[in-house]
């Protein structure tokens, strides 16, 4: 074995210690993957055919994704310049951070929230200001507003919050925006908006005219089931999104991804039927977990949160032994995606065994 070469190239110290984004674990053929908030349904009819028709791999795609932007602009009542399309909404988060932040600047967000946020901020050279969630897993917007200073350039609001599940209400968001200076960009991350059934939830697109410092993020990865094709979008002021486009990697949304997004947008009725089925499954799972004694926050995405605390590793291993791959965030809790119908009974059976063990004795070995 040869020795590793000496590290002579300068790496930013904060990047050298930054852990890479950790994807949800892949599942073995005989297991069910409930770790990545993927849609368990296959692509909508017609979507695969639209993707397969894009065979000119020797040509670049439309760098502006104009056709997708035009449909979205018509849907949300904006201009095409007020829509930006990128390879997933997380790519837009990186672009927004680079467009607004410099070393010494700050980004405020709740914690725990989307695990990519800390990396997004660090890569941009800015500093994270993490505000603890409320006891119910929701954002403490009053505390987040208190955390805004003259160094704050961006605030990230995730609703429903990933991984805990609660939404931000329209009233809460209005009170929050009244306290945030108009020079601070507020990003409303609505990656799971289609799954929300709470009528009091904030809905970002309707607020764009009211708040000139607001950008709304959505994605085709979750409800639309296009996670593997990487298409997300932002709605917001044209000058902000022009700055974002200046920071974007050119030609990053493939022709196949654009075709899939367009085909999916044409099939909204069937999409909403699938989303409703997943939301009903989510509510049924949460009700079962509450009956077992779990303290499960209000779930409004396509996942539920188990606050397993110091027993997170034990609980995750118990689910794995049952053939369920879940997402552990030690030492806080476990996020479980709403997956296939056949996963429901096994999920509840395993969760019941875990909570019984946790309430009767300190676990040393996983439930089998």
């Amino acid at each position: 074995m040869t020795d590793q070469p000496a590290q002579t190239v300068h790496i930013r110290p904060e990047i050298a210690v930054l852990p890479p984004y950790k994807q949800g674990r892949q599942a073995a053929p005989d297991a069910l993957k409930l770790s990545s908030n993927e849609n368990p349904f296959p692509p909508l009819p017609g979507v695969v055919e639209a993707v397969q028709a894009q065979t000119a791999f020797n040509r670049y795609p439309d760098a502006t994704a104009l056709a997708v932007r035009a449909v979205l602009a018509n849907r949300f009542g904006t201009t095409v310049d007020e829509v930006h399309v990128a390879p997933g909404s997380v790519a837009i988060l990186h672009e927004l951070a680079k467009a607004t932040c410099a070393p010494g600047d700050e980004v405020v967000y709740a914690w725990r929230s989307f695990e990519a946020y800390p990396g997004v901020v660090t890569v941009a050279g800015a500093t994270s200001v993490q505000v603890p969630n409320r006891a119910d897993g929701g954002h403490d917007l009053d505390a987040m507003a208190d955390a805004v200073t003259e160094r704050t350039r961006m605030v990230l609001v995730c609703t429903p919050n990933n991984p805990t599940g609660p939404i931000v209400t329209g009233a809460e968001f209005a009170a929050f925006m009244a306290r945030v200076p108009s020079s601070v960009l507020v990003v409303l991350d609505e990656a799971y908006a289609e799954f929300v059934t709470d009528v009091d939830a904030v809905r970002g697109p309707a607020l764009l005219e009211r708040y000139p410092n607001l950008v709304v993020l959505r994605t085709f990865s979750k409800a639309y089931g296009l996670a593997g094709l990487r298409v997300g979008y932002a709605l917001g002021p044209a000058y902000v999104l022009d700055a974002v486009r200046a920071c974007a990697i050119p030609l990053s949304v493939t022709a196949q991804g654009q075709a899939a997004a367009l085909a999916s947008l044409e099939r909204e009725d069937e999409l909403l039927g699938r989303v409703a089925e997943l939301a009903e499954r989510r509510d049924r799972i949460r009700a079962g977990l509450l009956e077992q004694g779990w303290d499960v926050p209000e779930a409004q995405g396509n996942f539920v949160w188990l606050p397993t605390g110091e027993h997170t590793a034990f609980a995750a291993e118990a689910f794995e032994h049952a053939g369920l791959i879940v997402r552990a965030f030690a030492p806080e809790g476990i996020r479980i995606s709403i997956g296939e119908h056949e996963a429901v009974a096994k999920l509840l059976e395993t969760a019941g065994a875990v909570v019984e063990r946790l309430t009767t004795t300190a676990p040393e070995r996983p439930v089998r």
Side-chain angles (χ1 to χ4, degrees), residues 322-354:
L324 302 172
I325 306 303
V326 298
R327 190 68 177 271
F329 295 93
E332 293 147 292
I334 289 173
R335 187 192 69 195
I336 306 177
S337 305
I338 306 304
E340 294 81 356
H341 171 75
E342 56 267 29
V344 174
K346 182 179 289 189
L347 189 166
L348 290 175
E349 179 183 358
T350 306
V354 171

Side-chain angles (χ1 to χ4, degrees), residues 13-342:
E14 65 272 25
I15 300 298
V17 299
L18 179 67
Y21 176 82
K22 186 177 181 181
Q23 183 184 13
R25 283 186 54 196
Q26 299 298 314
D30 60 344
L32 291 165
K33 184 184 179 188
L34 307 178
S35 59
S36 294
N37 290 350
E38 296 158 328
N39 192 321
F41 290 103
L44 291 163
V47 174
V48 172
E49 292 79 4
V51 172
Q52 291 173 335
Q54 297 295 324
T55 58
F57 304 141
N58 57 313
R59 302 295 184 187
Y60 287 118
D62 175 5
T64 68
L66 181 59
V68 180
R69 290 164 61 204
V71 173
L72 292 171
N74 181 66
R75 171 166 298 199
F76 292 109
T78 70
T79 68
V80 291
D81 290 335
E82 293 169 316
V83 183
H84 174 57
V85 176
S89 56
V90 70
I92 305 176
L93 284 168
H94 277 280
E95 294 159 3
L96 286 164
K98 288 185 287 186
T100 60
C101 297
D105 292 337
E106 295 177 347
V107 178
V108 175
Y109 55 89
W111 197 252
R112 173 172 290 275
S113 194
F114 181 30
E115 66 266 32
Y117 289 163
V120 165
V121 176
T122 299
V123 169
T127 300
S128 286
V129 178
Q130 297 182 345
V131 178
N133 284 320
R134 301 181 311 231
D136 66 357
H139 282 18
D140 187 342
L141 290 181
D142 284 337
M144 290 176 68
D146 290 339
V148 173
T149 71
E150 69 278 358
R151 296 172 61 187
T152 306
R153 296 293 175 264
M154 187 165 67
V155 180
L156 306 176
V157 178
C158 186
T159 177
N161 187 44
N162 173 21
T164 56
I167 50 98
V168 170
T169 68
E172 289 171 339
F173 191 72
F176 171 74
M177 291 298 286
R179 296 186 57 195
V180 176
S182 60
S183 59
V184 174
L185 178 67
V186 176
V187 179
L188 194 61
D189 188 347
E190 293 187 311
Y192 302 91
E194 293 85 359
F195 297 100
V196 173
T197 55
D198 189 330
V199 296
D200 293 326
V202 65
R203 296 289 183 176
L207 302 177
L208 291 169
E209 290 189 10
R210 185 185 307 178
Y211 302 118
N213 58 330
L214 175 65
V215 167
V216 177
L217 299 186
R218 298 267 178 110
T219 183
F220 288 94
S221 295
K222 308 304 181 185
Y224 288 88
L226 303 183
L229 289 173
R230 311 304 302 131
V231 186
Y233 61 96
L235 308 171
Y239 80 95
V240 174
L241 297 187
D242 283 342
V244 166
R245 285 184 272 268
C247 296
I249 297 174
L251 302 158
S252 56
V253 182
T254 66
Q256 292 74 26
Q258 294 181 43
L262 289 169
S264 296
L265 287 167
E266 293 173 356
R267 294 158 173 82
E268 182 139 59
D269 288 345
E270 184 167 359
L271 168 77
L272 293 177
R274 291 179 170 191
V275 167
E277 184 174 342
L278 289 173
E280 185 278 331
R281 193 175 300 169
R282 171 200 69 202
D283 294 345
R284 182 156 39 92
I285 289 171
R286 180 173 183 260
L289 293 169
L290 290 172
E291 289 180 4
Q292 293 175 354
W294 288 102
D295 183 16
V296 185
E298 182 67 32
Q300 286 288 299
N302 66 337
F303 53 88
V304 294
W305 173 255
L306 300 183
T308 46
E310 63 180 337
H311 304 301
T312 295
F314 157 76
E317 191 173 354
F319 280 108
E320 182 176 353
H321 277 283
L324 302 172
I325 306 303
V326 298
R327 190 68 177 271
F329 295 93
E332 293 147 292
I334 289 173
R335 187 192 69 195
I336 306 177
S337 305
I338 306 304
E340 294 81 356
H341 171 75
E342 56 267 29

